Structure formats: C-alpha cells, structure tokens
Amino acid sequence: MADKVSAPTTVDYLQGLLLETDDVEEFLTGFSRFAASRLFAGPQDTLCGITLLRNKHASTVASSNERARVLDELQAAFAEGPCITACEEQRTVHVADARQDERWGRYLARAAEHGVGSILAVPFALQAGARAALNVYSAEPGGFTPEDISAAEAFVAQTSQALMLSVRLAQRSDSVSDLRSAMESRTAIDIAIGIIMAQNRCTQAEAFTILKSVSSSRNTKVRDIAASVVASIGQVEPETHFDP
C-alpha cells in the first residue's frame, strides 16, 4: 500500500475532476482510477471500483480498468456482495479469502473464477440521499493488512466530500431534466386542448376529458395523444422555453 496521500494534492485533483467531468458516472470513473493509483504501489494491476446506490439499487458502477468493471458488474447483477453491503450498512467489509468466505456465495464464487483472492469495500459518507462504496480487489488471499484497511478508510474519509458534491450536482441535474420534461408535456397538452376546443366548440374541461378518454381507450399516455393532435394539424411538436 502506498504512503498516505497529501491532502492538498488529493483535493486539488478532485476539484479539477469535478470541473472537467459532465456527469457523475464520468466523475466516478476518474475517481476510481485515481484511487487505484494512490492506494497501491506495486507491479500488479490495481483493481478499484465505485458503486453508487440510489433507491437501494446499484445505479452507477465505475471502475479503474476493464477487469474491475467486470467484477463490479457481476456484483450489481447478483444484487449482492461486499460493496453493496458496505453501501447499505455503512461499514467497512473485508473478504480475506474469496474462496473460503461463505457470504454472498454466488458472487464470490464468480469473483474467485476471475482471479480474485480478497476484497475490501469501504463506504463513503455522502449524506445526500445516496450511498456509495469503494471496492478494492487483490489477487491474493489475505491481500489486505490492517494497515491497508486503515489507509483505505482514511482515503475514503478524505475524499467523501468531493464525491458528495458530485452526487448533489447529479441530483440537481436530474431534477432540472424532470422539470423540463414535465413542462414540455404540459405545453403539448395545453396546445392540444386548445385545438380540441376550437374543433369541437367545447370548454377547456370538456376538451381535457376528451383527451383523457382517447388516452384511456388507446392505452397511450396523454402527452403522446396531445402530440398527435398537434401533429394532425401540421404542426411540429411545440418547443418549451425553459431557463432553470
């Protein structure tokens, strides 16, 4: 295990990474590669991954290299493993020997087939409506000493704030996207109601009832029916002007 990283170097790197990346998955990929380069010093490839849980599901998995990606995706596919447990229970999980450990049997059996001897999973303290953990893989059983585990926990503690900021920015972006989509749907529906009112000489409430009735009979979303009404008079889908 490498010596502890200096706080300014780590903070500067992660601040730059936040500014340079466009989404949380890209940030986590850069983050996992950085963790791999800082936590190990040796001839073997360092395998690091980061799993981000949202709504109790592994929604984002980022890895330092291809081998780590395969192992992380296996864990997500089985919906069990040391990293997911570390996320859910907010505690460090250590698998000293992947072939002997009886927890998460299906996942560990597959991990051992991929040459994994031991695994270390350390949770981040996010406090942002999401949970994440760092996964570190070793080819050797007993690949993590108590000092290694302490160093990994110190690294995670040092970098949790940057990860928390990235998650919050991603959540804000998701909220803006959801709001934009809702406003675009509302615009199409309002225009369609106006068209139906003009064609049927009816009230706004009656026009909306007609729209909902067609939606129900065709088992199609109201927004899609509204878009077809707008298109029926030769108009393109209306543009919504939105400035978050």
Side-chain angles (χ1 to χ4, degrees):
M1 188 75 69
D3 294 336
K4 289 184 179 180
V5 296
S6 61
T9 300
T10 299
V11 170
D12 289 347
Y13 174 84
L14 293 177
Q15 284 178 344
L17 188 61
L18 277 169
L19 293 173
E20 294 169 5
T21 53
D22 294 327
D23 56 48
V24 68
E25 187 168 358
E26 185 179 356
F27 173 80
L28 290 178
T29 298
F31 191 113
S32 61
R33 290 172 180 168
F34 178 70
S37 70
R38 306 305 293 188
L39 288 177
F40 279 89
Q44 65 176 342
D45 288 340
T46 299
L47 304 182
C48 284
I50 296 175
T51 297
L52 174 64
L53 266 61
R54 292 179 179 175
N55 299 320
K56 299 183 179 181
H57 296 288
S59 61
T60 305
V61 177
S63 310
S64 61
N65 56 28
E66 181 63 20
R67 287 186 62 206
R69 183 189 65 78
V70 170
L71 293 164
D72 284 341
E73 289 184 349
L74 276 174
Q75 191 166 180
F78 284 121
E80 66 171 19
C83 194
I84 291 176
T85 296
C87 286
E88 292 177 341
E89 299 183 6
Q90 288 293 285
R91 63 180 178 85
T92 297
V93 177
H94 178 212
V95 177
D97 189 336
R99 295 187 182 277
Q100 299 296 323
D101 199 310
E102 296 182 354
R103 299 170 292 177
W104 322 290
R106 295 181 303 160
Y107 169 71
L108 289 182
R110 293 294 300 276
E113 290 174 2
H114 284 271
V116 173
S118 50
I119 304 171
L120 178 64
V122 184
F124 292 91
L126 296 186
Q127 300 176 347
R131 294 186 176 186
L134 173 71
N135 238 6
V136 189
Y137 302 94
S138 173
E140 302 296 328
F144 303 101
T145 66
E147 291 76 18
D148 292 337
I149 296 172
S150 295
E153 289 175 334
F155 175 83
V156 166
Q158 185 183 39
T159 56
S160 285
Q161 187 172 9
L163 181 54
M164 182 170 63
L165 178 58
S166 176
V167 170
R168 285 179 173 173
L169 290 173
Q171 289 173 333
R172 181 184 182 278
S173 178
D174 289 345
S175 297
V176 169
S177 178
D178 290 344
L179 180 57
R180 183 188 300 275
S181 178
M183 290 183 68
E184 288 173 348
S185 295
R186 186 70 257 174
T187 298
I189 291 169
D190 286 345
I191 292 176
I193 287 173
I195 294 170
I196 294 171
M197 289 172 64
Q199 291 177 339
N200 293 273
R201 298 183 182 277
C202 62
T203 67
Q204 182 180 17
E206 290 170 337
F208 187 53
T209 298
I210 292 171
L211 198 60
K212 288 195 297 180
S213 176
V214 175
S215 170
S216 178
S217 65
R218 297 183 184 180
N219 194 27
T220 304
K221 292 181 179 178
V222 171
R223 183 197 184 284
D224 293 336
I225 296 298
S228 67
V229 170
V230 174
S232 70
I233 62 170
Q235 299 296 314
V236 298
E237 187 165 346
E239 179 180 353
T240 301
H241 299 284
F242 175 64
D243 186 9

